[in-house]
Amino acid sequence: MTHQRIAKRNMVIMWLANFFIAGSMTMVLPFLSLYIETFGSYSNEYVQKWSGWTFGVTFVTAFLFSPFWGRFGDRYGRKKILIISSIGLGASIFMMSFVDSVWELLTLRLIMGIFTGFIPMSQAFISTQTPREIAGRVLGTLQTGSITGALLGPMLGGVLADTIGFSTTFKWTSISIFLSTALVLLAKEIRIKDVGDEEAKASYSRKEVLQHIVKNPILLNVMLISALVQIAHFSIQPILSLYVSELHGVENLAFFSGIAFSAAGLGNLLMARRWGKMGDENGYIKLLVLLLFVAGLVYLPAAFVSTIWQLVIIRFILGITIGGIIPLRMAYIRQAAPVSMQGEVLGYNTSLRFLGNIIGPAMGGMIAGYFGFTAVFVSTTFLLLLSGIILYVGMQKHPGLVKHSSLNS
């Protein structure tokens, strides 16, 4: 089997695996707070507090462990990490079906975070067997698998929870994750050689990887922007349902909140591959700067809408712009880092994204509490525009790094 055929086969396998992983990870989110309520007779404040903790604690351990898994993947193979990650995720979620206290659930969600880097590692797995000149298109296509899963997961999870109960839903969720493990076993790990790889080393120390990142200001900016974008995007998450309630009322609140959430995902799904292809043709950083500015400007009108459908339309347009940010970042990292250190570089990038996932909801909730919903959208707009400005300034100062990077740059 030729390299090209193996790469295409791996792409199909990882698309399906990401679909099942993303769908499974989001299936339990709609009823996490309801599950806590079954442990005892608690006040609404208690349930809300612990729902926040059990949701957010996963990102804490994910933030800490992502660079470790990336480095391990560079040295011993990314397929091994994907298998370990999916087994760890499946086992954690399976055990959640047996808990009867919030502390047990919190502990398992903490453990689950250790293994949460499946999707970023799959991006590294596909990235290292993809030529640089088509990395945006390929990674954009791969992203549609996780987006599709994330769109369908909450709806399916809600239906299953209502039909077969919370505990059984956790079991079925773990089965779908173990199915991803079986899919990964069918993949074959290969790596292509880029021009200049003859000068690159087979492996790098942690110090060398960090030095490479610091010596490339554009790469460093792209990684820091990963955190800023996640802070901006996730700051809206805890208040979106409340905002929908203010616009539409409490009637069918879960349904209309779901539409508002899903609208961004749908826009993301439609454009992710196309943005990646445009980045291949026109430059990843130039397009990334444009999307950051447009996303910031799109977020702002959401603060002043008067109906739920205005919010849904804005969320859909936002999804279209946000859809290109992840594949373009990944494609640039594919371009800017030697293959044998890409896993660790992507690990640091993933860690920064998870840091944003931790800070964003806390910041959004705090701003909404003190200044109202409008202030959250304004602060989000500011963060996205700031990200665009940082990257634009870097692009003007270091034009050579925008197009290409070498280890000695």
Side-chain angles (χ1 to χ4, degrees), residues 56-363:
V57 74
T58 301
F59 297 124
V60 175
T61 43
F63 163 72
L64 295 173
F65 278 85
S66 290
F68 166 78
W69 290 124
R71 183 169 183 78
F72 192 97
D74 284 336
R75 290 200 168 192
Y76 304 107
R78 296 176 177 95
K79 180 177 176 178
K80 293 184 179 72
I81 304 303
L82 289 168
I83 292 170
I84 292 170
S85 177
S86 55
I87 290 175
L89 282 173
S92 300
I93 291 179
F94 181 77
M95 293 300 295
M96 288 178 198
S97 66
F98 299 101
V99 302
D100 56 12
S101 77
V102 71
W103 284 105
E104 292 172 350
L105 182 62
L106 183 75
T107 301
L108 286 172
R109 290 279 299 177
L110 187 72
I111 295 170
M112 176 180 161
I114 297 173
F115 305 100
T116 300
F118 182 97
I119 291 175
M121 183 56 67
S122 73
Q123 292 167 337
F125 179 80
I126 294 298
S127 173
T128 53
Q129 53 194 260
T130 302
R132 286 176 172 172
E133 61 272 14
I134 61 169
R137 182 180 67 193
V138 171
L139 292 171
T141 302
L142 181 63
Q143 187 184 340
T144 62
S146 57
I147 297 169
T148 306
L151 281 173
L152 296 177
M155 292 185 287
L156 181 58
V159 171
L160 287 176
D162 287 338
T163 306
I164 60 178
F166 301 135
S167 295
T168 308
T169 300
F170 278 107
K171 292 185 178 73
W172 278 104
T173 301
S174 67
I175 290 172
S176 67
I177 292 177
F178 289 135
L179 181 58
S180 296
T181 308
L183 286 168
V184 173
L185 290 171
L186 300 175
K188 183 176 181 180
E189 186 160 10
I190 55 175
R191 295 188 185 186
I192 66 171
K193 284 191 175 183
D194 293 324
V195 176
D197 270 4
E198 299 80 10
E199 302 174 9
K201 297 164 62 174
S203 63
Y204 295 87
S205 68
R206 183 174 288 105
K207 181 180 178 180
E208 288 174 317
V209 173
L210 292 173
Q211 284 177 338
H212 178 74
I213 294 170
V214 172
K215 286 180 180 178
N216 185 331
I218 302 295
L219 177 58
L220 181 60
N221 284 347
V222 166
M223 294 175 67
L224 293 175
I225 284 168
S226 293
L228 290 177
V229 169
Q230 292 302 108
I231 292 171
H233 198 47
F234 268 68
S235 66
I236 302 298
Q237 305 297 348
I239 60 103
L240 189 59
S241 295
L242 299 173
Y243 194 44
V244 170
S245 176
E246 185 177 275
L247 292 171
H248 182 73
V250 296
E251 185 178 356
N252 297 320
L253 178 59
F255 174 72
F256 285 101
S257 295
I259 291 177
F261 272 102
S262 299
L266 180 60
N268 197 322
L269 176 64
L270 292 176
M271 286 298 294
R273 185 178 187 276
R274 196 166 300 177
W275 287 129
K277 185 178 180 181
M278 290 174 63
D280 292 333
E281 296 169 352
N282 302 293
Y284 305 124
I285 300 301
K286 292 178 183 177
L287 191 55
L288 188 53
V289 169
L290 174 64
L291 290 180
L292 286 168
F293 280 123
V294 173
L297 295 175
V298 168
Y299 249 119
L300 188 59
F304 306 103
V305 298
S306 57
T307 71
I308 176 65
W309 298 114
Q310 290 173 347
L311 178 64
V312 168
I313 292 170
I314 288 174
R315 293 275 300 171
F316 176 74
I317 298 171
L318 174 69
I320 289 176
T321 59
I322 291 288
I325 291 177
I326 292 178
L328 291 174
R329 284 198 314 246
M330 295 296 174
Y332 181 76
I333 292 172
R334 166 72 185 91
Q335 172 183 283
V339 169
S340 49
M341 71 162 66
Q342 278 183 28
E344 186 168 355
V345 174
L346 285 170
Y348 288 121
N349 185 70
T350 302
S351 189
L352 288 168
R353 287 183 61 199
F354 284 132
L355 179 63
N357 292 358
I358 297 168
I359 297 172
M363 187 187 82

Side-chain angles (χ1 to χ4, degrees), residues 13-76:
I13 289 171
M14 296 315 303
W15 192 99
L16 290 170
N18 278 356
F19 170 80
F20 285 116
I21 289 288
S24 301
M25 295 281 285
T26 56
M27 276 173 67
V28 301
L29 296 183
F31 60 83
L32 201 59
S33 59
L34 301 177
Y35 193 44
I36 291 174
E37 287 181 339
T38 66
F39 300 152
S41 180
Y42 304 125
S43 66
N44 289 335
E45 291 77 12
Y46 181 91
V47 172
Q48 290 170 7
K49 181 181 73 173
W50 283 104
S51 295
W53 279 106
T54 53
F55 175 79
V57 74
T58 301
F59 297 124
V60 175
T61 43
F63 163 72
L64 295 173
F65 278 85
S66 290
F68 166 78
W69 290 124
R71 183 169 183 78
F72 192 97
D74 284 336
R75 290 200 168 192
Y76 304 107

